[in-house]
Amino acid sequence: MLTVILPDGSRKQFDRPVSSFDVANEIGARLAKATVVAEVDGKMVDLHSPLPTAGEVNLRLLTKKDPEALAVMRHSAAHVMAQAVMRLYDGVQLAFGPTTGSGFYYDMRLEHPISEEDFPKIEAEMQKIVKADERFERRDVPRDEALALCRELKQDFKVEHIETGLADEKTLSFYRQGEFVDLCRGKHIPSTSHIGSAFKLLSVAGAYWKGDSDREQLQRLYATAFFDRAELDAHLEQLAEAKRRDHRVLGKQLELFTVSQLVGSGLILWLPKGAILRQTLEDYIKSELRKRGYEAVYTPNIGKVELYETSGHFPYYSDSQFPPIEMKDGERYLLKPMNCPHHIMIYQAKPRSYRDLPVRLAEFGTVYRFEQSGELSGMTRVRGFTQDDAHIFCTEEQVADEFRNCLEMTQTVLASLGMNDYRVRLGFRDPKSDKYVGGDAVWDRAEASLKAVCESMNLPDMSIEPGEAAFYGPKADFVVTDCIGREWQLGTVQLDYNLPSKERFGLEYIGADNHPHRPVMIHRAPLGSLERFVGVLIEHFAGAFPLWLAPEQVRVLTVSEKSDAYGREVEKLLADAGLRVTGDYRGAKLNAKIRDAQVQLIPYMFVVGERDRDNRTVAIRDRLEGDLKEPFPIDAAIAKLKEEIAAKTVRQVAAKQPAVAADRESQNEY
RNA sequence: GCCAGCGUAGCUUCAAUUGGCAGAGCACCGCAUUCGUAAUGCGGGGGUUAUCGGUUCGACUCCGAUCGCUGGCUCCA
C-alpha cells in the first residue's frame, strides 16, 4: 500500500503500482495532461517512472506554471534539437547538452559547419518532432551494456565520458525519443509535444570538448525555449534592449571612449566626456583613501624583467605579457603587468619598524597585459588599464582588520553608486594545480583567515571557488554581471604571504622584540580597473549617470535669440559655481533643443526665455520628472543641483534584465 | 589563440532585382524662421563599398588572402 501526500496535505492511497502520471490522472485528466514532471520527496522524477509500492511519499506535480518545469522542458528541447540536427546532417557526434539560466545548448561534432542560415531548417525539423509527440523513454542499464550501446551508436564522446567522467557509476541511464537515443541523467518531460512552439535557435559557437583548449573544438548551438510564445517574445525583446545599452554602443553615442586601430586593439582612448567620468571616480576614491590612512605613491610604467622574475609574474604569465623591451647591452624591461613589485620596492626603500605598520601605498597604476585577441571586448577586456591599486604591508595580527577594511571600502564604493547586484567570490587554490607559489601551510593559513573575515561580514551571495586564486594568494572578488549576462570581476582584495617571503622579496620589519619579522601583504582595488568599471557603470546606468558623475550636468536652453544674453549669463553663473554646463543657442525650436538634451541623457535642462530674463529665474526641466513647472530663482536652482551633487544621489539605475542575468549552468548534462 | 558570422558616408538606422550609373534617414555645414517643455523649413558637403589580389565586357554583389569587429570557447596576476 502506497500513501501519496500532495502539497495541500491531502492523501491518496494505492494498492497497485502507480506512476506520478497515474496519480495526476486520478485527480483529473486535465491535470495529467498539463503535468510536465514530478517531484517525489524533493527529488525530480520523470512523470512515468514508477513510484514506490509501499510507504509514504510527498508528491508535487509540476506544470508549466512551476519554474523548475521550464528547465526540464528546455533540457528535453536540447535533445530534440540534437535529434533534428542528426536528421539533417550525417556523422553527428554528440557531446554535452545542458540547460543554462536562460536557455540551453548542445555541443556536437559534424562535418557541416552550421551557420545561422541553417537555423530555420533545424527549427522546422524540431517542430516536426514536437508535432509527432514522441515519448521520452528512460532506460537504466549496467555500465558495460551502456558502453556497448554508445559504441554501437558510434558516439565516441559518450564512450569516453562513461570511461572517464562517469567511471564510478554502476548503472547509467539513457533517454530515447523516436529514433534518438542519448546518454542522459534526466529528467525529461513525458513527450515532445510539451515543448510547444516557443523555441528559437540563437547562435552557434565553437566550444572545446570538456572545456580543454588542447582538445577538439565542437560546434555549440545555443537556443532557448519557453512554454508560451509571449514569454519567448519578451525574452528576445530583453536581449534587444540589453544590446541597446551595451557600453560599446553607448560609449560611442555619448562620446565617452573610442578605440583606434592605429593605436591598437584593446587600448582605450578616453574622450573628454569619458575622462570626466573617470576623473570624478578617481577623485572620489582618493578622498576615501585619505580618510582611510593610505599614502599616495607614483611609479613608472616599466621595470626590469628581473623584478618580475623575482615576483614570479614573468615566469607565470609570460604568454600574456607584451614581450620585454631589449636594450643593446642586454638589459630587458617589461611594461608593468602589475604594480605590486614597484610598491614593494618603495616599502624596501627604508628599514621599517612595527610602529610604521600598516603601510598602505596607493596608486592609480596603469598596467599592460597582452590578452588574447579573441578576448578583447569594449572597455571590459583590454590590454592597457589603470587599477585603483594599493598594497598594504602589515603584521600578521593586523591582517584581519586590514582585510575587513578593504572589503568594507569596496562595499561602500559600490553602494554609493547604487551597485547592489554583485556576488563575492572567494578564490582559493586548486589543490590539483602546481601554478601557485608558496607552501601548503602558508596557503592554508591565508585561506583560513580570509574565510573567517569574509564570513563575519555578511557578503552577498558568497561562494568559495577552488582554482580562482591568484598565483601568490587567495582573494575575494566582487563579481558583477553585464547587460548581456557576462560576469566581470571588478573589485578585488587579495591576501599574499608569498611575495613578502624569503623566496621572493624577503620583506622585513623590526618588531617590538628588536628582531626582524615578515610582513603580510594585501593587494586591493575597489573598482578593479577604471576601464572595466566605467564600462560596467555605463551599462548599470544605461548611460544616464547620476548628477555627480554626469559629464554634462546641466544645459541652458534658450527659448529664442531674445533670451541669448541672459542664457549666457546663466551659463556663466553655473560654470562659476563649479557645474559642468553648456548652452544651446541654436536657432532651433525649444522642443528640438529639449529633445536633443533628453536623448543625450543630460540630467538637468535650464530653460530660459524672456519671462525668466525679466524675473532672474530659470525653468528647470528634470530628465526624469520633466518640467518642474515652478520657475526657480537662479541661486535656488544652483543650490538644488549642488546639494544633489554633494549627496552623490543616485536617482535611477537601469532596469535589470532578469532573463539574461546570472546565466550559470545547471548540472543535468550527466 | 580557436570556431562561426559580419565589414556600404561620422552613425550597432539602413537600401541597392539573377553581377549593370552607390542611395535614404539621423548627425554636420549654410540660409530662412525667433518659437515656453521630446524633432521648423529649404539647400549643401560628405564614399577608392575595410584592405589587397583574382574571375568578368562590367564586381558593393562571385572567389582567395589580410585586417578589424561581433558571438562563443579557452585564458584572465
Side-chain angles (χ1 to χ4, degrees):
Chain A
M1 177 74 75
L2 171 72
T3 305
V4 173
I5 307 168
L6 295 160
D8 65 356
S10 66
R11 288 157 180 266
K12 288 198 176 291
Q13 298 201 318
F14 298 92
D15 48 14
R16 57 189 161 93
V18 290
S19 67
S20 309
F21 177 79
D22 298 325
V23 179
N25 219 359
E26 192 95 341
I27 298 168
R30 273 178 62 194
L31 176 65
K33 210 176 155 205
T35 306
V36 171
V37 69
E39 197 186 274
V40 175
D41 294 331
K43 278 175 67 183
M44 206 73 94
V45 301
D46 293 315
L47 198 55
H48 287 287
S49 58
L51 293 171
T53 49
E56 273 188 10
V57 292
N58 289 290
L59 176 69
R60 267 180 80 205
L61 297 164
L62 304 179
T63 67
K64 64 182 183 182
K65 286 184 197 139
D66 299 289
E68 302 98 312
L70 182 58
V72 174
M73 184 274 272
R74 284 172 171 170
H75 184 201
S76 301
H79 280 218
V80 168
M81 180 171 76
Q83 181 180 14
V85 172
M86 290 180 93
R87 281 185 182 181
L88 294 167
Y89 307 100
D90 291 330
V92 178
Q93 295 268 316
L94 301 173
F96 292 138
T99 56
T100 66
S102 61
F104 58 91
Y105 64 80
Y106 216 116
D107 285 350
M108 42 197 134
R109 175 172 73 195
L110 65 157
E111 284 291 308
H112 172 79
I114 294 176
S115 78
E116 287 186 25
E117 285 171 25
D118 300 318
F119 288 2
K121 254 189 307 190
I122 297 169
E123 285 166 350
E125 199 60 42
M126 288 172 70
Q127 199 58 259
K128 275 192 214 164
I129 298 164
V130 169
K131 275 235 173 69
D133 199 16
E134 301 280 4
R135 268 183 74 156
F136 281 88
E137 289 170 13
R138 181 188 174 104
R139 236 182 93 205
D140 292 277
V141 301
R143 57 179 298 122
D144 49 346
E145 200 178 313
L147 271 173
L149 179 56
C150 287
R151 288 204 177 100
E152 186 193 321
L153 293 167
K154 295 198 170 57
Q155 291 297 326
D156 300 343
F157 296 119
K158 302 285 178 181
V159 170
E160 183 190 325
H161 188 49
I162 293 173
E163 284 173 339
T164 57
L166 302 174
D168 299 333
E169 306 289 324
K170 291 201 172 54
T171 56
L172 297 155
S173 57
F174 286 82
Y175 278 82
R176 184 177 80 78
Q177 86 269 8
E179 80 281 4
F180 180 87
V181 179
D182 194 7
L183 174 73
C184 179
R185 171 195 293 173
K187 309 305 185 225
H188 281 283
I189 56 178
S191 66
T192 57
S193 66
H194 286 84
I195 293 169
S197 61
F199 59 84
K200 189 169 172 51
L201 270 62
L202 297 175
S203 63
V204 60
Y208 298 106
W209 166 235
K210 297 224 165 174
D212 183 346
S213 59
D214 290 332
R215 304 207 54 181
E216 185 177 357
Q217 191 160 52
L218 310 169
Q219 300 193 58
R220 174 172 295 180
L221 264 177
Y222 280 96
T224 192
F226 289 88
F227 283 114
D228 294 307
R229 167 63 58 175
E231 285 177 281
L232 173 65
D233 290 345
H235 176 72
L236 297 177
E237 178 47 39
Q238 270 175 355
L239 290 176
E241 180 56 42
K243 256 192 176 155
R244 282 191 279 277
R245 60 164 192 165
D246 188 319
H247 76 277
R248 291 166 297 191
V249 176
L250 290 172
K252 188 178 277 185
Q253 271 169 15
L254 302 175
E255 297 181 7
L256 300 173
F257 74 97
T258 189
V259 177
S260 147
Q261 254 190 67
L262 206 51
V263 172
S265 297
L267 299 169
I268 299 299
L269 302 172
W270 294 78
L271 302 176
K273 286 180 182 173
I276 289 173
L277 269 181
R278 171 169 165 172
Q279 256 172 357
T280 309
L281 283 170
E282 286 183 1
D283 290 346
Y284 169 49
I285 293 290
K286 281 179 190 165
S287 73
E288 283 294 319
L289 291 175
R290 273 194 296 275
K291 279 188 223 163
R292 291 163 195 267
Y294 286 80
E295 300 171 285
V297 295
Y298 292 98
T299 64
N301 283 311
I302 60 174
K304 282 200 194 163
V305 166
E306 288 78 3
L307 177 68
Y308 291 98
E309 277 171 344
T310 303
S311 71
H313 292 102
F314 187 67
Y316 276 88
Y317 292 100
S318 56
D319 286 351
S320 41
Q321 282 164 5
F322 285 90
I325 303 162
E326 196 131 9
M327 310 308 287
K328 278 201 199 95
D329 58 7
E331 273 187 339
R332 293 190 301 160
Y333 291 88
L334 207 58
L335 272 172
K336 73 175 169 189
M338 272 197 107
N339 301 305
C340 32
H342 287 75
H343 290 181
I344 286 172
M345 292 303 110
I346 292 176
Y347 177 85
Q348 283 185 317
K350 66 171 187 180
R352 302 284 178 173
S353 149
Y354 73 99
R355 295 177 199 275
D356 301 332
L357 303 187
V359 169
R360 308 184 187 93
L361 304 178
E363 177 183 17
F364 287 88
T366 303
V367 298
Y368 294 91
R369 300 177 185 175
F370 192 78
E371 305 287 358
Q372 300 181 63
S373 61
E375 292 305 337
L376 301 176
S377 179
M379 297 183 104
T380 43
R381 195 75 190 267
V382 294
R383 285 182 174 159
F385 56 94
T386 301
Q387 298 172 312
D388 57 334
D389 210 358
H391 294 93
I392 297 168
F393 301 84
C394 63
T395 67
E396 181 108 30
E397 296 71 45
Q398 292 167 331
V399 164
D401 278 348
E402 289 301 312
F403 204 89
R404 184 174 298 112
N405 188 283
C406 293
L407 291 171
E408 193 266 324
M409 175 173 171
T410 305
Q411 286 184 294
T412 303
V413 169
L414 292 176
S416 73
L417 292 159
M419 298 180 83
N420 304 313
D421 202 0
Y422 57 86
R423 68 188 186 94
V424 174
R425 178 179 65 198
L426 300 194
F428 283 9
R429 74 192 188 285
D430 176 359
K432 281 176 290 190
S433 167
D434 58 357
K435 75 165 193 175
Y436 306 99
V437 296
D440 282 346
V442 167
W443 273 90
D444 288 342
R445 193 152 41 117
E447 289 178 357
S449 56
L450 185 151
K451 185 159 174 266
V453 171
C454 290
E455 276 172 351
S456 73
M457 286 195 67
N458 192 25
L459 300 167
D461 195 10
M462 193 172 85
S463 62
I464 291 176
E465 294 181 27
E468 289 291 326
F471 74 86
Y472 48 73
K475 56 178 183 166
D477 290 331
F478 289 71
V479 179
V480 302
T481 306
D482 74 6
C483 70
I484 54 176
R486 292 182 293 205
E487 285 198 326
W488 298 100
Q489 172 196 314
L490 294 183
T492 183
V493 186
Q494 313 181 347
L495 196 48
D496 182 1
Y497 285 83
N498 285 308
L499 293 184
S501 72
K502 196 161 178 289
E503 293 72 30
R504 298 287 154 188
F505 289 103
L507 301 186
E508 287 182 348
Y509 67 89
I510 303 302
D513 59 3
N514 200 27
H515 288 299
H517 294 270
R518 185 129 291 145
V520 180
M521 268 179 84
I522 294 170
H523 310 233
R524 40 103 287 162
L527 304 181
S529 109
L530 269 307
E531 281 76 5
R532 176 177 292 176
F533 191 85
V534 167
V536 170
L537 203 61
I538 291 168
E539 297 184 4
H540 175 64
F541 291 119
F545 300 102
L547 188 62
W548 71 282
L549 279 175
E552 186 176 343
Q553 294 171 314
V554 52
R555 183 175 293 179
V556 177
L557 309 183
T558 48
V559 173
S560 79
E561 234 165 71
K562 290 175 193 158
S563 40
D564 242 44
Y566 179 63
R568 290 181 198 277
E569 191 189 338
V570 170
E571 184 184 343
K572 178 154 192 322
L573 287 169
L574 288 165
D576 289 348
L579 290 155
R580 298 187 285 269
V581 57
T582 62
D584 186 345
Y585 306 106
R586 293 175 300 169
K589 282 173 71 170
L590 180 60
N591 277 345
K593 296 182 183 183
I594 286 173
R595 191 191 133 82
D596 285 348
Q598 197 80 37
V599 167
Q600 290 165 45
L601 305 168
I602 315 285
Y604 287 100
M605 294 166 230
F606 283 7
V607 176
V608 295
E610 291 172 274
R611 282 206 302 273
D612 298 289
R613 181 193 57 201
D614 297 342
N615 300 327
R616 308 277 310 159
T617 58
V618 296
I620 299 182
R621 186 185 165 95
D622 180 325
R623 190 183 63 78
L624 295 171
E625 307 281 324
D627 185 4
L628 298 186
K629 305 295 181 195
E630 282 304 306
F632 281 65
I634 302 174
D635 291 349
I638 291 173
K640 173 182 159 62
L641 267 55
K642 289 191 80 161
E643 195 180 320
E644 188 176 329
I645 290 165
K648 297 190 170 60
T649 309
V650 173
R651 298 174 60 198
Q652 191 188 46
V653 164
K656 254 286 160 195
Q657 309 288 322
V660 185
D663 212 359
R664 284 192 249 170
E665 263 175 48
S666 67
Q667 295 296 313
N668 53 8
E669 72 218 14
Y670 214 116

